[in-house]
């Protein structure tokens, strides 16, 4: 184990959300609830995840300095800490550990809202494999390969109608 990992795990443990949503005041009028939803829909979040949890990307060694096992240990602790903030990250299972580690740590630089009910997910998939940040690991590639050939048609037909 890299000698810095125990210190990093301690910092991640300290970054857990201190006040759970259940401990917060849950008495909210329906008007306040709808105002909160409206703000969430119409405004960009003002702060990064790092602002909320207190960690910085610079606190984490680059993937090249860690073993796969070290990165897996850090990711597991980081995912647990994210969960305390009602956050998670959606990454393909096939993604190499070094990329998954780097993307997980980079969530600290991403603006996000912290919600008390439900979860917010960092989701990098655009649904278009050609433009996907996951490149050859994009889960959409498999779904596209599974589409039958007869469904793969040119939609610029004369009448523009579907064949079914």
């Amino acid at each position: 184990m890299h000698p810095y990992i125990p210190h990093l795990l301690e910092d991640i443990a300290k970054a857990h959300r201190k006040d759970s949503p259940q401990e917060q005041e849950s008495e909210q009028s329906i008007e306040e609830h709808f105002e909160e939803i409206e703000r969430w829909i119409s405004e960009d979040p003002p702060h990064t995840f790092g602002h909320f949890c207190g960690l910085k990307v610079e606190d984490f060694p680059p993937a090249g300095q860690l073993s796969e096992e070290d990165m897996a240990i850090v990711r597991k602790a980081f995912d647990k800490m994210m969960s305390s903030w009602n956050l998670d990250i959606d990454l393909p299972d096939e993604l190499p550990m070094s990329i998954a580690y780097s993307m997980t740590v980079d969530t600290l630089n991403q603006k996000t809202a912290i919600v008390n009910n439900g979860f917010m997910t960092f989701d990098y998939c655009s649904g278009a494999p050609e433009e996907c940040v996951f490149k050859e690991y994009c889960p959409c590639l498999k779904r596209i390969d599974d589409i039958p050939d007869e469904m793969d048609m040119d939609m610029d037909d004369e009448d523009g109608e579907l064949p079914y």
Side-chain angles (χ1 to χ4, degrees), residues 35-44:
E35 286 173 13
E36 183 179 24
I37 291 171
E38 182 63 33
R39 275 192 311 275
W40 179 77
I41 290 172
S42 64
E43 298 174 5
D44 286 334

Side-chain angles (χ1 to χ4, degrees), residues 25-39 117:
E25 291 183 31
S26 60
E27 295 302 317
Q28 185 182 46
S29 72
I30 192 73
E31 292 83 14
E32 291 169 328
H33 177 70
F34 284 122
E35 286 173 13
E36 183 179 24
I37 291 171
E38 182 63 33
R39 275 192 311 275
N117 298 302

